[in-house]
Amino acid sequence: MDKIILKNLKFDLAVGFDAWRRYGKPQPVSVNLEIHPRSNFEAAAAQDDVSLSLDYGKLYKSIAATLANSGPHQTIHVLIDQLAQLMPEYAFLDIDILFPKALLQVNGGLLYRLQVDNSTLGVMTPSLTLDVKGIACSCIIGVNPHERLYKQSLSMDISFPVITTALGPEPTETHYTAELHDMVDEIIERVKGSSYHTIEALASAVAQVVTLNYGHTVAKVRIEKPSAIATIEAAAVEITRSKTFFENKDFWKVKRP
């Protein structure tokens, strides 16, 4: 399917809270767009005529002008709706919004990934996912005797769906950004005081916090252990667990070394 791509549009925007939990403070934002029109680019290619295609230059200028003149966005939902309103007619739309410095203890930032299926006229189906990339933490982890002596540095990614019933200016969770700060802080503190033999058990414990304590229906957790094997960059485990999986289970019952 043909598509137009605008890659890595950079802005300074005030969206929800910044890394210090201050509202209305601008922070760096990077946006990637992929727009699948309802018709392909065959006519534009045959006649070499940009008017028969999607003019990405005009689209970029419209986005840049609108965001430059916009005030603070209460939540990510408001920013997403503003971007979506600027899009031309499309069948499918992908918007990735990266906040590289949104949380103090997250090295890779927050990545919101919106996908909209508008291929059927009158039926728009959006889905929104949040990736928390590169949470920095450390704990006792591993089965070898030397691994039971010192804490190891870990890098953790967490991904989960965000509630979004429709595109619109009204946020579905007005406190969402503050809760995200709380969730990451709780995970780091609990990991710091834990002691596991396997990354699998630790990842399950983190997924338990994300789903049970913060109400997400499912969570994907990836944990990288850079010190596991000296000759490779990292060993990693990735799991996906639903909230219902943790009924009558508690992965935070930890044996100390």
Side-chain angles (χ1 to χ4, degrees):
M1 180 176 292
D2 298 346
K3 59 185 175 182
I4 289 292
I5 301 168
L6 289 180
K7 183 177 179 180
N8 204 16
L9 287 70
K10 291 185 178 294
F11 306 98
D12 287 327
L13 302 174
V15 183
F17 295 98
D18 71 355
W20 301 94
R21 301 195 185 208
R22 300 176 300 180
Y23 180 77
K25 296 292 185 179
Q27 59 179 305
V29 181
S30 175
V31 179
N32 287 293
L33 300 169
E34 293 190 6
I35 306 163
H36 303 251
R38 294 191 179 277
S39 58
N40 61 33
F41 301 144
E42 182 178 347
Q47 301 183 43
D48 198 18
D49 186 346
V50 70
S51 67
L52 300 175
S53 180
L54 194 164
D55 191 330
Y56 52 77
K58 290 181 180 179
L59 176 61
Y60 167 73
K61 291 177 181 178
S62 175
I63 294 171
T66 299
L67 293 184
N69 296 315
S70 62
H73 301 80
Q74 182 181 4
T75 68
I76 184 65
H77 299 275
V78 178
L79 174 59
I80 288 173
D81 179 71
Q82 187 177 49
L83 288 171
Q85 295 298 324
L86 297 171
M87 296 300 107
E89 184 68 17
Y90 61 85
F92 297 95
L93 173 66
D94 294 326
I95 302 179
D96 288 358
I97 305 175
L98 175 66
F99 297 84
K101 297 184 178 181
L103 291 172
L104 296 176
Q105 296 159 306
V106 177
N107 295 325
L110 305 180
L111 176 62
Y112 291 89
R113 307 171 72 93
L114 175 74
Q115 295 181 313
V116 183
D117 183 346
N118 194 34
S119 57
T120 302
L121 289 175
V123 180
M124 180 180 291
T125 306
S127 64
L128 181 62
T129 302
L130 172 58
D131 295 340
V132 186
K133 302 173 73 65
I135 302 172
C137 50
S138 61
C139 66
I140 298 291
I141 184 77
V143 297
N144 297 304
H146 57 275
E147 293 182 298
R148 311 309 298 169
L149 299 176
Y150 306 103
K151 289 185 176 182
Q152 294 186 56
S153 296
L154 304 175
S155 180
M156 185 184 309
D157 297 344
I158 300 172
S159 177
F160 47 85
V162 178
I163 299 172
T164 177
T165 55
L167 293 175
E170 294 299 324
T172 56
E173 298 176 74
T174 57
H175 60 291
Y176 181 76
T177 305
E179 274 203 352
L180 182 60
H181 284 72
D182 294 339
M183 185 187 78
V184 172
D185 285 348
E186 179 177 348
I187 288 171
I188 291 172
E189 286 302 311
R190 297 187 78 168
V191 170
K192 182 171 64 175
S194 69
S195 174
Y196 290 90
H197 287 94
T198 67
I199 309 178
E200 290 85 345
L202 178 59
S204 298
V206 171
Q208 178 181 322
V209 170
V210 175
T211 55
L212 293 188
N213 294 17
Y214 292 90
H216 298 290
T217 56
V218 64
K220 180 167 69 177
V221 178
R222 176 189 175 94
I223 299 180
E224 292 191 357
K225 188 178 171 185
S227 302
I229 302 172
T231 54
I232 68 173
E233 182 175 343
V237 166
E238 182 176 291
I239 67 166
T240 302
R241 297 289 183 269
S242 66
K243 186 176 182 179
T244 56
F245 173 81
F246 293 104
E247 293 178 358
N248 304 317
K249 298 184 181 72
D250 186 359
F251 285 89
W252 284 108
K253 294 178 179 177
V254 180
K255 294 181 179 179
R256 301 292 177 178

